[in-house]
Amino acid sequence: MLSRRHLLTGLVASGALAVSGCSVPSVIDRPRPGRARCVPRSELPRHGDVGGARLHYDLDGRPRSFHFDAGFHRQLTEWWTDWRETSGLTAADRIDSYGAWIDGGNTCDSWHHAGRAFDIGRVRRGEDVLVSCREDLWAGTGDEPALRRRYWSLAAHLHIHFAYVLTYLFDAAHRNHIHIDNGVSGSGLSTFRSGSRVQVQVVQASSRWLFDEAVEITGRMDTATRRASNAVLGALGRSGGLASTDNWHAFLRAAAGRGLS
């Protein structure tokens, strides 16, 4: 079997970028109604930037243009503008990615096949890495604590704009990128669902690594996770839990600002 790196490199050369591991969502996170449909690349506009941030292919660092669903690209642009303001990293001007649209062939089991998914490898200012989603490279190194905090601050902010955000906690295929799509949240911002594993994971990771709350990463909204998230909300002057969309977004925005100091 071809390695992921060789597969990606070959498909980029042919103009059809494939990303393993980004497939149909789990049952609780499956888009409603229906599932992704394949969209021909010819129907999708091509972009070499997101909100002015130049797009590069993560494996070779070269500039690339990718095909996006028009509405999804607008959402990415809105996220990017919001993230730069929230993070204070206004000099960020480049996103290293594994791409957006891929050819679904005879199966449509990913929002990549509709141009409604995007994979982020690194965020840069010029050649300088500001946030690395390459957990496969920094895990176990001396830089891990600081890089992990920046990773989760970025992931938390992505969760505001997209309900389906896959990190290295989701599975091993996502150790070198964060996957986002709008299959669950559509054209709007996200809302919290306690049965969503990926949303609970960001609550637990943010509570543990950004707010220093003692919570295990289980993917389940257990008593300890509720206690930790309520403690964070209480420190923000908010009552109630994450079921309130205002509280959910306040939690994520606070997390987005914590890992960058």
Side-chain angles (χ1 to χ4, degrees):
M1 183 178 293
L2 288 174
S3 71
R4 172 185 170 83
R5 183 177 295 268
H6 289 157
L7 177 63
L8 286 168
T9 303
L11 288 172
V12 163
S14 68
L17 181 63
V19 181
S20 63
C22 295
S23 57
V24 67
S26 59
V27 173
I28 192 67
D29 289 307
R30 187 166 294 146
R32 298 177 177 85
R35 293 169 59 179
R37 71 178 182 90
C38 289
V39 177
R41 182 173 58 180
S42 59
E43 294 184 9
L44 301 175
R46 187 170 184 169
H47 297 275
D49 74 284
V50 166
R54 296 166 294 127
L55 299 179
H56 290 237
Y57 181 51
D58 190 82
L59 289 182
D60 60 20
R62 295 179 180 177
R64 287 285 191 280
S65 294
F66 301 109
H67 292 267
F68 297 86
D69 170 82
F72 180 65
H73 187 265
R74 283 194 297 271
Q75 288 179 275
L76 287 172
T77 296
E78 291 167 2
W79 157 74
W80 177 254
T81 301
D82 188 18
W83 177 78
R84 289 173 79 241
E85 294 175 355
T86 300
S87 68
L89 299 177
T90 56
D93 61 4
R94 170 176 160 181
I95 300 173
D96 290 0
S97 173
Y98 288 93
W101 178 90
I102 62 173
D103 187 355
N106 294 323
T107 59
C108 294
D109 60 358
S110 168
W111 288 108
H112 280 288
H113 303 152
R116 290 172 54 186
F118 186 58
D119 293 335
I120 301 175
R122 282 171 270 220
V123 176
R124 298 179 184 260
R125 178 184 61 237
E127 294 297 320
D128 297 330
V129 177
L130 300 178
V131 184
S132 173
C133 303
R134 297 296 306 272
E135 193 264 353
D136 60 322
L137 298 180
W138 49 255
T141 70
D143 295 328
E144 178 177 339
L147 291 173
R148 190 183 300 279
R149 287 174 63 83
R150 289 204 166 204
Y151 177 102
W152 284 108
S153 69
L154 173 64
H157 194 273
L158 285 165
H159 269 277
I160 298 171
H161 290 261
F162 304 95
Y164 204 60
V165 180
L166 305 186
T167 69
Y168 65 82
L169 291 179
F170 186 77
D171 61 21
H174 292 86
R175 291 191 65 202
N176 63 356
H177 68 281
I178 293 179
H179 164 99
I180 52 179
D181 67 57
N182 66 359
V184 175
S185 47
S187 60
L189 300 179
S190 72
T191 58
F192 179 71
R193 290 177 295 137
S194 60
S196 168
R197 177 160 69 104
V198 298
Q199 289 183 328
V200 173
Q201 283 173 339
V202 77
V203 172
Q204 293 173 333
S206 298
S207 296
R208 179 172 179 172
W209 288 306
L210 299 177
F211 296 109
D212 300 319
E213 294 286 339
V215 60
E216 294 185 26
I217 310 296
T218 64
R220 300 184 303 276
M221 196 65 183
D222 50 31
T223 300
T225 304
R226 293 183 191 280
R227 184 182 301 117
S229 59
N230 286 341
V232 172
L233 289 171
L236 297 174
R238 292 183 167 270
S239 60
L242 296 173
S244 160
T245 299
D246 286 344
N247 282 356
W248 168 237
H249 290 172
F251 177 96
L252 294 173
R253 287 193 179 279
R258 287 283 283 202
L260 300 168
S261 58

